[in-house]
Structure formats: structure tokens, C-alpha cells
Amino acid sequence: MSSRERSLWGWGWADRFPDDDTRRGIAAQVGALLGVEAPKLRTPPTLDSIRMPAPAIPVPAALAAFATDARRDRAMHAHGKSYRDLLRAFTGDFSGAPDLVAYARDERDVAATLAWCASERFAAVPFGGGTSVVGGVERPEGGAWRGVVALDLRAMDRVVVVDDVSRAARIEAGATGPRLEEQLAARGFTLRHYPQSFEHSTLGGWIATRAGGHFATLYTHIDDLLESVRMVTPRGVYETRRLPASGAGPAPERLVLGSEGILGVITEAWVRVRPRPRHRASASVRFDDFARGAAAARAVAQSGLYPSNCRLLDAREAMLNGVPADGGAVLLLAFESADHALRPWIERAVALAEAEGGRSSGIKERTDERGGDASAEAWRQAFVDAPYLQTVLVSLGVVADTFETACTWDAFEALHARVRADVERTMREACGGGLLTCRFTHVYPDGPAPYFTFVAPGRDGAQLEQWLAIKRAASEALAACGATITHHHAVGRLHRPWYEREVPSLFLESLRASKRSLDPEGILNPGVLVDP
Amino acid sequence: MSSRERSLWGWGWADRFPDDDTRRGIAAQVGALLGVEAPKLRTPPTLDSIRMPAPAIPVPAALAAFATDARRDRAMHAHGKSYRDLLRAFTGDFSGAPDLVAYARDERDVAATLAWCASERFAAVPFGGGTSVVGGVERPEGGAWRGVVALDLRAMDRVVVVDDVSRAARIEAGATGPRLEEQLAARGFTLRHYPQSFEHSTLGGWIATRAGGHFATLYTHIDDLLESVRMVTPRGVYETRRLPASGAGPAPERLVLGSEGILGVITEAWVRVRPRPRHRASASVRFDDFARGAAAARAVAQSGLYPSNCRLLDAREAMLNGVPADGGAVLLLAFESADHALRPWIERAVALAEAEGGRSSGIKERTDERGGDASAEAWRQAFVDAPYLQTVLVSLGVVADTFETACTWDAFEALHARVRADVERTMREACGGGLLTCRFTHVYPDGPAPYFTFVAPGRDGAQLEQWLAIKRAASEALAACGATITHHHAVGRLHRPWYEREVPSLFLESLRASKRSLDPEGILNPGVLVDP
């Protein structure tokens, strides 16, 4: 395990939090962007300064070999990484810390933890990498529990088997993105699932939350890369068979995908891997406005070309990301393959975009036997670094968050207009102003996955309320337009009110029945998704 | 509705059953193929000759507007189309006929039927197109029921809305393949989902059984074409939201896909449609043996080219289908697109196949503004006609059936050897010989979907037992090799013993819990998939 320390309160590695000069520079930029005075620097909390209740009990003998009640461990498992979490942690509120952290070394430890929790009336919170942005890994409210154990599988991080023939790998659920990619690379393969949380989130967490990754089409979610899954429930092991496909009854792995830790603890999975891409072709195409860019993205999504990248940025999103866009929208197209050169693919995609009024910057094509690609790596690094910026903004008292959705193409224009109107109005009312940007992260033949970012001035002590007003306005706008409350950020606690309106009430009943069946004592992640 | 009559006992249209001279010709061919005397012609049953108990009750007032107990209607809903069904029907055994057939005109009729069944202790069997090959639409055994109602939605067959922008259509569940394609064609679209049962099976049946279709890659099952679904359960309507994708909890449509009528009656769905393909490119590539052909199919499946057709036929399969193969295996490759010409795609696929020792017959490429393709249409016609041949074989006393599966590539060689050994030995023991063929119908990056056909001499009165011995040997071989009991033929009753070993027992518990939740009286299709 790395000796590098993660931030006590913010995103990622502690050493990535910038010094005061850098923070002042960012504050000046944000002030200029929002048309307000540069926000002042607030002081981050320390392990000594935070407020955290004592653990409910000492470490019990049954879990002593792998559990701890040490202050730092409990503090590091007190929150996810939603804006609300960052804010609470920054202001020293660690009241949600678990009483114990169990670092399971294997499935026996997981089972022992669940058994102990059931017998002692403790709740068990599968922590994954702790990167939930929806309140998915926190202490349950209500007095039904004598305490809470956070389950951390970081010690279970091996790539156990690679099947070169079927191109699949059996991987333990505690492996983070870098851990599994480094082991796969040694075998000549890659998963190429890059959620923004890649550095710290885990395979088990991806499966539990249906994480969205790198590919803009076809393999958009971890769902599409999952061959089989193994989960330890309070009633025993639930393991699906390794199959490329099946038609036997409702798919058993689909009950695990998106289960958010309420049915069991995912311990390992077989996932579909591939050789590193050797061929890449890309282009960026500029549009006068977002609507024309959306029409182009739709044409590409419906063409059967299946680009790996089909990201549409609006003018503000392009500006914030330093992507040249002439003040309009820009569509970033890319194809990648380990098998064949891609000129016919990119040429056709660019032609489709140009037919919608786009101006291409020209096609870049390259083949690299080593498989590296500096510009793709640079974009990915900027992408995974974005949460570090949010962390700085929180330390400046700024309200800053993202939300994402998916809708059918026919519904997009109205959705976009409604979200802009409602969120911008709410930012004005709650914060005196603010900035909203939009991009497409993934596209499907029948609709896009729009992703929104907002940044607004905050008032100390009022940020939670300000954020909540904006989050509510955004979620209501999505619901009103028939879009989903989340394309790849999960439900957790934050999205529950809209989730309950989105899915059939009879499905919720069925899910509750499944939960009662697999977790009869209801110890697993209470408060997330549904109440039993 | 068509006045053309469907066969009382065999596949499809009654007028397609050949005259005695043609049957004698087929008998001679089969005799030569199996190295036995040409089987004799048996006489098909008639509506007067069949044995069918009287209905349990007269048509009740609550259902009188749309239900019937007429002899022909009951007889036509007595069986699915498995070999066992054909045999039972051919020998006049219609003891499984429902007491009533309810031709629901709308969702209110469906709900009324379910309510009446619950109050009167009748079982409700959603019949779809009645093409189940796994015992999925028959009268439940056991004395728990006062009677049985077959629910037939043929009157609900409209394409209700077409969304041209999102390329999706809302279609009533009772629409057969031809009915929905003819309505979509009028709007310039096609679903292109062509299961072998296409002529008679319904959209609702496809969804309930996770039917496999036309596309060899990507859109292999109706699952992949489903945007949202609506189902009437005994507890009310279960309707998922129209979304191109979502990450909100376990996917609610996945509980409906494969539910085989045990949770509710699917009444309509939004499905993803596309313009008719204008560009086609194809090639056939011959191999000395099946293993080399399989290696080529794997290379294509893992290439990211995504052909619409990647069908590998073994020598016997090629012979039976009249496909030139030089006594070896043949790989049929095809690409289709409404958007772009496909030469780079087919060239690369052929090159991959040639690298495995294949000999290509040359690439055929064409663009047709009208969208027609005579050779593709001819193959599809031959494909949908195959069940007619099985029907004739039943009338000759021959044992003939198919089974299919999917497995990972690393497991295929052992699976193929084991299936051949076990099925051929069982055919020798039970029938004195027989013929087994194999093809791939669909391929995935991590494995193929092998499809087997067997034909063996039958002994009158012993065929059911002979068939059962072969079916058991085949199913045991699949299970022993870790393959699925079905890639796209569903579970029904016939596959239950192997289904129960395939999926996690805790998933079965969860499914039973879902069933109790949506169908508290357990009236829906009892005996299929699980017992509550």
C-alpha cells in the first residue's frame, strides 16, 4: 500500500492541495469569472481540529484481526466526496464517522463482519474508494443501530487471473483504477474504464454504482464490461456464471449492478479487458451554437460508427477547459483500436458533423506500437484532476458542483432550456449569480448524456443551503423533463426523492423484497436506495 | 387479422404443410442422411380427432366481451412449439389446453382477466405468439388451480408512436414481427429483430424471453433494443421511463426482460429502431476445420468491427443449408449500414479470417437506395422456414430439435468436444444413430453462442423418451462445461433443472420474492422459471 496520504477532507492526495499563493491565484480567477470580489482563503481542518464523537464500542474480539477504531481511520471513512461531504468535512463536522473500520483481507473477513453486525445490530457500510458523490457511504440516520462499521476492501486488490483467449480478467473488488490497470498492463491488457474518480474508486464501487467510464459509446458503463460478479451477502455468496451472454431468466448480474451496497458486498468480478489501443484518430469540430453541435453528436451517435469519444462542450465548458471553440460549441471526436487504422471512421464522423454546420480542425491520426498517446493522456489527467479544483473552491467558500443525466434526443432541447433557466435563476436568487456549463459525456442512438457544472459565490455558513437550493432546482428540472436523476453518479441518499419518482413503484417494492431476502436484518447500507 | 390459418399442431401456417409427395421426398432424403430406411408418412391430427377435455367452466360474464371457450381457440392455445409440443399435438394429446382464451383488446382487458383469475383461482398464461420452445405457455400441472386462461394480445398490435428524432417507436406487445415491421416501414424505419420465430412471435414475447435476433454482434438480444417497457401486473402497472441509459439503481427494465410471464403481462414497449440499411458488404470464408473457423470468428468478434453477421457453420450445417464449404467450415461475414459504405470493415474482417487460414470467396459489396437485398432476404427466408422442416420431420416420426448456448472462448473447444461426444453417444444408444451439427449464431468479444441441431431416427411411441434422453445429455454437457442453458430460447419448464444450477440460489430467492411482491396470488404462468 502507498504511504502517500489522502486528504482528510477533500479530494484525492493530500499533497495535491495547493499552497496559499496558488489558492489566491485561483480565487482571483474565480472572482473574475463570477464578477465578484476574489473569495478569501479559509483554513482547512486538521485531524486534531475536527469534531468526531468517540466510537460506540472498542474493537470487538471477532473483528480485532482486521478492524480498527483509530481516529485517523474513522475520520477517513466519515464522508464520501459530494459537495455536501466536502463542506461538512471542511468545517470540521465528522459526526458521521463510523465506529469501526474493517479492512477485510478476504471474503471470510467480509462474512465475519456482516455476521457480527447482524448479531450486534450494527450497520455495515461498504466503503469502496469512498468517492460517492450522492451520500452513498455515510453513517445511517435514525436510532435503529448500535453503531456503524465501514467495510474497506483495499487489501483485496489483486488481478487474480487473466484469460488471454476470452480477454477477461478476474479482479478483486478492492482494486482501484491504477492498481488494476498496472497489473493488467503487465499482462498486455487494459480495462479502459476511466471514471473521473479513477485514481481512488474501486472495481467493487464501480459495479455497485454502475459507474460511467471512458467510452462515449457502446461500453459506457461498467455494466457493459462485466462478465460475472461475486458478492458476499448476509445470507451467503451470490456468484454469477462467467458468460458472454445468456437468455436464461432476468439477468442475475443486473441485480448487483447498481445495488449500492444494500444487498451485499461485492468481492470480485470477471471483467472484459482488451489490448491497449495502437491506432487513434481524432478531430475537433466547432459549431456556432450548442444546438447545432448536438445535432452533429446525434448524427454520429446514430451512424453506427461508435467513436470512443464524442464529447460536445458548450462555449463556457470549452473556455473552462482551455479547448479552442471560437466562442461556440466544440465536438471532440476520437476513435481508438488495437486492431485497425481508423481513417474511414473518423472521416465519416467529421463529414456528418460538417453536414450540421461544423468546422473541423483537421483529422489527427496516429499509430503507436507502444500504445501511448500524449494528448489523450493529457486530457485524461485534466479530467481526473477536476475534483481537485472543486476541493480548492470549497476552501474558498465557493459553491461548485456537477450533475448529469440522460434523456432521449427529442427531449433534449427542452431539457437544456429548462435546466439553464431554473438553475441560473436559482443561482441568482440563492447566490447572487453563478456560472452553468454543459457538455455531453456519452451519446446513444436514442439520446445524449448531458453533464452540467455550476459555480456560484458562497456565503459562509449558508453554503449548504445555497447548494441544496441549486441541487433541488436542477433535479426538479430533470424530473420535469422525463430525464434520469443520474446517468452514472448513482442514487445514494441525495437522489432518492427523484429516484422514487423515476422508477416504477412496483420495482421499488420488488427491490425491497429482494433486500429482505438477501439481507434479512437490513444491516447493509441502510438509508441508501430504498428502505426495507 | 389474417384469415390464413395457423397449423393446429405444427409450425406456422397450415397451408405450408407439404403434400404427401413432397413429404415422401423429404423422407427419402432423411433416410439417406441418417442411413436408415425412409421413414413412413404419419397422418396429422384434425380438430375433430384430437383429445381435449371440456372447459372447466363456461365463459364468465366478466370476460365475456373478449374471451372464448371455442374448441379451435382452446386447441390453438394448448401448446408451444417445442419438439415435445409438436409430438404431443401430432399424436392428438391436447390435454394441456386452457379452459378459456382471452383476446385482450387493451390494458383494461388484461387487468380484468388478471383480477378475475385471482378471485377465481384460475392461472393466467400470457401466450405471446405461442412459439415457446421450452414449455413456457402451457397449462400448469398440479391441482392448485380451478382452471387456466390463456391471454392472447394479438388485437394489441399497433405501432402507436414513432419518434423520428430519437429513432424509437412505441409498439403494442401483441404485434408480431411482420405486423410491426410493416407499420415501421411506412414510417421509414425498421427494428431488424429477426428471431427464427419472427413470423408468429410477438414483441411482448420477445421481451419476456430475451429473444435473440438478426445481429451477430452488439444488438444480439431484444434487451439491447429496448428503451422502456410497460407491464400490467396483478398489483397494477409497472412502466419504466424512456431513457437511452441510466445509472439509477438496478435497472428496472432488466427485471421484466426474461420474466417469462411470471411477473406480469407486457403490454407495450418503446424500442430502438433504425432506417433500413442501404449499404451491405459480405464475404464467405472457408476453413479446413471448425476450430480454425472458430479462431477466425473470435478474431473478428474481438476486433471492434461489429459485423451484423458472423455466422460460422460446421461442415454438416453448411451441407444441410446448401452453403458451399468444401467439406470444411464456412464463416459468413456481413456488414450493413444506413449511413456509410463498408469496404474497409469487410476487408479487415476478411483479412483477420484469412490470417487464421481461411479462403475467402471474395467480397460482395452493394448499395441499394431502396434498401432491399435479395440474397439477405433469401437467407432470412430459409432461416425462418427451418421450423417448417422440423414439423415435417415430426410427421415422419423423426426426432429433430435444436439447442443453443453461450460460453467464454477459452471454454469452447472442450464444450464442443463434450457436446459432440455425449449427444452422439446418446443418439446411438437411444435411436441407433443420428446427425449433430453446430454453428455460431452470435459472437461476443469474450465468447461465442454455439447453436446445435440434431436429427435422429425415431420409434413410434418412444420418440418423447428418445428426445428427452438427447435433450438431457445435451443440457448436462452444457452445464458441465459452465455454459448457459440458453442463449436465447428462455427457460420455461424444460430448462428449469439446469437454470436452477446456473444462477445463484440467492438470485432465485430474490426472484421468488419479487414474484410474491408483484403477483401475490401466484396466478401468472405457474411452473415457469421458479415456484413462489
Side-chain angles (χ1 to χ4, degrees):
Chain A
M1 239 158 287
S2 165
S3 61
R4 198 176 175 193
E5 276 194 3
R6 282 180 63 177
S7 170
L8 175 67
W9 65 276
W11 181 260
W13 303 115
D15 59 30
R16 289 290 306 274
F17 188 69
D19 62 23
D20 286 357
D21 277 352
T22 310
R23 277 209 288 161
R24 263 180 227 110
I26 294 171
Q29 285 180 306
V30 171
L33 192 70
L34 298 177
V36 297
E37 223 176 296
K40 293 197 197 74
L41 274 52
R42 281 80 167 163
T43 308
T46 65
L47 192 58
D48 292 332
S49 75
I50 61 170
R51 301 176 304 283
M52 186 167 69
I57 52 157
V59 180
L63 311 181
F66 57 94
T68 177
D69 63 355
R71 182 170 174 83
R72 167 164 281 280
D73 294 274
R74 292 179 56 228
M76 295 300 293
H77 292 81
H79 304 100
K81 297 297 177 196
S82 70
Y83 175 80
R84 189 177 70 163
D85 293 323
L86 299 188
L87 196 67
R88 289 194 293 204
F90 190 78
T91 55
D93 176 4
F94 281 65
S95 57
D99 299 287
L100 302 172
V101 180
Y103 294 102
R105 298 156 300 177
D106 53 30
E107 285 190 352
R108 274 173 308 185
D109 288 350
V110 174
T113 304
L114 297 184
W116 183 85
C117 284
S119 72
E120 299 295 323
R121 298 297 300 152
F122 269 60
V125 177
F127 193 70
T131 61
S132 170
V133 291
V134 291
V137 293
E138 65 194 53
R139 187 181 193 89
E141 284 179 13
W145 308 102
R146 291 184 48 221
V148 176
V149 180
L151 250 167
D152 189 316
L153 270 59
R154 67 178 60 184
M156 297 169 64
D157 70 346
R158 289 175 312 148
V159 172
V160 184
V161 186
V162 174
D163 170 356
D164 294 78
V165 177
S166 313
R167 295 192 177 170
R170 182 178 146 214
I171 306 179
E172 291 180 320
T176 60
R179 275 296 289 150
L180 66 84
E181 284 293 351
E182 101 200 5
Q183 295 173 78
L184 288 173
R187 297 291 301 270
F189 286 104
T190 171
L191 180 60
R192 290 189 86 59
H193 180 74
Y194 299 109
Q196 196 157 39
S197 58
F198 176 78
E199 275 192 285
H200 301 288
S201 54
T202 63
L203 175 61
W206 298 343
I207 296 167
T209 61
R210 302 177 67 192
H214 168 77
F215 295 106
T217 65
L218 294 184
Y219 304 95
T220 57
H221 290 79
I222 194 69
D223 313 28
D224 308 307
L225 299 167
L226 188 78
E227 188 180 78
S228 74
V229 64
R230 190 172 158 96
M231 175 169 79
V232 172
T233 81
R235 300 266 325 278
V237 171
Y238 179 114
E239 182 173 24
T240 69
R241 195 177 280 192
R242 274 193 74 192
L243 292 171
S246 174
E253 70 278 12
R254 295 283 177 174
L255 183 63
V256 180
L257 282 158
S259 58
E260 301 195 14
I262 72 164
L263 302 179
V265 179
I266 295 162
T267 54
E268 60 176 50
W270 277 93
V271 291
R272 298 176 181 123
V273 297
R274 60 187 75 207
R276 283 181 70 85
R278 294 168 52 238
H279 306 273
R280 285 190 181 76
S282 60
S284 79
V285 187
R286 304 179 198 187
F287 295 86
D288 287 339
D289 59 50
F290 197 66
R292 295 302 294 274
R298 174 164 79 87
V300 174
Q302 295 179 338
S303 68
L305 292 165
Y306 307 119
S308 56
N309 194 356
C310 186
R311 285 182 175 76
L312 179 69
L313 315 184
D314 73 6
R316 291 164 178 185
E317 183 83 30
M319 181 191 66
L320 291 186
N321 284 279
V323 174
D326 305 338
V330 59
L331 179 63
L332 304 175
L333 292 168
F335 292 84
E336 59 175 47
S337 172
D339 180 69
H340 46 268
L342 294 153
R343 181 158 287 270
W345 280 253
I346 189 76
E347 278 180 349
R348 180 60 190 158
V350 167
L352 288 166
E354 287 175 339
E356 296 294 340
R359 299 173 300 280
S360 167
S361 63
I363 288 167
K364 285 184 199 160
E365 198 190 357
R366 51 181 303 209
T367 293
D368 180 342
E369 291 305 323
R370 280 192 47 257
D373 179 335
S375 69
E377 299 293 335
W379 160 268
R380 190 171 323 127
Q381 196 56 50
F383 173 65
V384 301
D385 281 353
Y388 285 111
L389 179 59
Q390 185 193 25
T391 289
V392 174
L393 295 180
V394 169
S395 83
L396 300 172
V398 173
V399 178
D401 201 4
T402 66
F403 60 94
E404 32 68 71
T405 187
C407 63
T408 49
W409 289 109
D410 66 312
F412 172 69
E413 196 179 317
L415 171 92
H416 189 230
R418 171 89 182 240
V419 166
R420 280 195 64 168
D422 291 4
V423 170
E424 289 179 349
R425 187 184 60 245
T426 308
M427 287 195 296
R428 278 195 307 277
E429 290 168 2
C431 309
L435 183 76
L436 177 73
T437 74
C438 177
R439 67 175 190 261
F440 291 169
T441 56
H442 305 79
V443 290
Y444 301 87
D446 51 340
Y451 189 104
F452 298 91
T453 300
F454 60 84
V455 183
R459 282 191 316 279
D460 275 347
Q463 283 102 341
L464 188 57
E465 205 177 302
Q466 293 176 304
W467 169 82
L468 204 56
I470 303 167
K471 178 76 182 167
R472 275 204 192 111
S475 303
E476 286 296 328
L478 299 181
C481 297
T484 178
I485 189 60
T486 179
H487 175 265
H488 59 268
H489 283 173
V491 174
R493 287 171 176 82
L494 293 182
H495 287 154
R496 272 190 62 181
W498 297 278
Y499 174 64
E500 286 164 11
R501 284 152 61 182
E502 176 172 331
V503 297
S505 61
L506 288 173
F507 174 73
L508 293 177
E509 284 204 32
S510 164
L511 184 57
R512 281 190 283 266
S514 296
K515 168 136 176 103
R516 283 190 299 269
S517 157
L518 303 188
D519 176 22
E521 311 289 330
I523 59 170
L524 275 161
N525 223 5
V528 164
L529 270 182
V530 290
D531 294 317
Chain B
M1 237 155 288
S2 166
S3 61
R4 197 175 173 192
E5 276 195 2
R6 282 181 63 178
S7 169
L8 175 67
W9 65 275
W11 182 259
W13 302 116
D15 58 30
R16 289 290 306 274
F17 189 69
D19 62 23
D20 287 357
D21 278 351
T22 310
R23 277 209 290 161
R24 264 182 226 108
I26 294 171
Q29 285 180 305
V30 171
L33 192 70
L34 297 177
V36 296
E37 220 175 299
K40 292 198 198 72
L41 274 52
R42 282 79 167 163
T43 309
T46 64
L47 192 58
D48 291 332
S49 74
I50 62 171
R51 302 177 302 284
M52 187 168 68
I57 51 158
V59 180
L63 312 181
F66 57 93
T68 176
D69 62 356
R71 182 171 175 85
R72 167 165 279 280
D73 294 275
R74 292 178 56 229
M76 295 301 291
H77 292 81
H79 304 100
K81 297 297 176 195
S82 71
Y83 175 80
R84 189 177 69 163
D85 292 323
L86 299 188
L87 197 67
R88 289 193 292 203
F90 190 77
T91 56
D93 175 5
F94 281 66
S95 56
D99 299 286
L100 302 173
V101 180
Y103 295 102
R105 299 157 300 177
D106 53 30
E107 286 190 353
R108 274 172 309 185
D109 288 350
V110 175
T113 305
L114 298 184
W116 182 85
C117 284
S119 73
E120 299 295 323
R121 298 296 303 153
F122 268 60
V125 177
F127 192 70
T131 61
S132 170
V133 292
V134 290
V137 294
E138 65 196 50
R139 188 181 190 91
E141 284 180 13
W145 308 102
R146 291 183 49 219
V148 175
V149 180
L151 249 165
D152 189 316
L153 270 60
R154 66 179 61 185
M156 298 168 65
D157 69 347
R158 287 176 312 148
V159 172
V160 184
V161 186
V162 175
D163 170 356
D164 293 79
V165 178
S166 312
R167 294 191 177 170
R170 183 177 146 212
I171 305 178
E172 290 181 321
T176 60
R179 274 296 288 149
L180 66 84
E181 284 292 352
E182 103 200 3
Q183 294 173 80
L184 287 174
R187 296 292 300 270
F189 287 105
T190 170
L191 179 61
R192 290 189 86 59
H193 180 74
Y194 299 108
Q196 197 156 40
S197 58
F198 175 79
E199 275 191 288
H200 301 287
S201 53
T202 62
L203 175 61
W206 298 344
I207 296 167
T209 61
R210 300 177 68 193
H214 167 76
F215 296 106
T217 65
L218 293 184
Y219 303 95
T220 57
H221 290 79
I222 193 70
D223 312 29
D224 308 307
L225 299 168
L226 187 78
E227 188 181 78
S228 74
V229 64
R230 190 173 158 98
M231 176 169 78
V232 172
T233 81
R235 302 267 324 279
V237 172
Y238 179 115
E239 181 173 25
T240 70
R241 194 177 280 193
R242 274 193 75 191
L243 292 171
S246 174
E253 70 278 12
R254 295 283 177 174
L255 183 63
V256 180
L257 282 158
S259 58
E260 299 194 17
I262 72 164
L263 302 179
V265 179
I266 295 162
T267 53
E268 60 175 50
W270 277 92
V271 291
R272 298 177 181 121
V273 297
R274 57 187 75 207
R276 283 181 70 86
R278 293 168 53 238
H279 306 274
R280 286 190 180 75
S282 60
S284 79
V285 186
R286 304 179 199 189
F287 295 86
D288 288 339
D289 59 51
F290 196 66
R292 296 302 294 275
R298 174 164 79 87
V300 174
Q302 296 180 337
S303 68
L305 291 165
Y306 309 118
S308 57
N309 193 357
C310 186
R311 287 182 174 74
L312 179 68
L313 315 184
D314 73 7
R316 292 163 177 184
E317 183 82 31
M319 181 191 66
L320 291 186
N321 285 279
V323 175
D326 305 339
V330 59
L331 180 64
L332 305 175
L333 293 168
F335 293 84
E336 59 175 47
S337 172
D339 180 70
H340 46 267
L342 294 154
R343 182 158 287 272
W345 281 252
I346 189 76
E347 279 181 350
R348 179 61 190 157
V350 168
L352 287 167
E354 287 176 339
E356 297 294 340
R359 298 174 301 281
S360 167
S361 63
I363 289 168
K364 286 184 198 158
E365 198 189 357
R366 52 181 302 210
T367 294
D368 181 340
E369 293 305 323
R370 278 192 47 260
D373 178 335
S375 69
E377 300 293 335
W379 159 267
R380 190 171 324 129
Q381 197 55 50
F383 172 66
V384 302
D385 280 354
Y388 284 111
L389 178 60
Q390 185 194 23
T391 289
V392 175
L393 295 179
V394 168
S395 83
L396 300 172
V398 174
V399 178
D401 201 4
T402 65
F403 60 95
E404 32 68 70
T405 186
C407 63
T408 49
W409 288 109
D410 66 311
F412 173 68
E413 197 179 315
L415 171 93
H416 188 229
R418 170 89 182 242
V419 165
R420 282 195 62 166
D422 291 4
V423 170
E424 288 179 349
R425 188 184 58 245
T426 308
M427 287 194 298
R428 279 195 305 276
E429 290 168 2
C431 309
L435 182 76
L436 177 72
T437 73
C438 178
R439 69 173 189 263
F440 291 169
T441 55
H442 305 79
V443 290
Y444 301 87
D446 52 337
Y451 189 104
F452 298 90
T453 301
F454 60 85
V455 182
R459 284 191 314 281
D460 275 347
Q463 283 104 339
L464 187 58
E465 206 178 300
Q466 294 176 303
W467 169 82
L468 204 55
I470 302 167
K471 177 75 181 168
R472 276 203 192 113
S475 303
E476 287 294 330
L478 299 182
C481 296
T484 179
I485 189 61
T486 179
H487 175 264
H488 59 267
H489 283 173
V491 173
R493 288 172 175 80
L494 294 182
H495 287 155
R496 270 191 61 180
W498 297 279
Y499 173 64
E500 286 165 9
R501 285 152 59 181
E502 176 172 330
V503 297
S505 61
L506 288 174
F507 174 74
L508 293 176
E509 285 204 32
S510 164
L511 185 56
R512 281 191 282 266
S514 296
K515 169 137 173 103
R516 284 191 298 269
S517 158
L518 302 189
D519 177 23
E521 312 289 330
I523 59 171
L524 274 160
N525 224 3
V528 165
L529 270 183
V530 290
D531 294 316

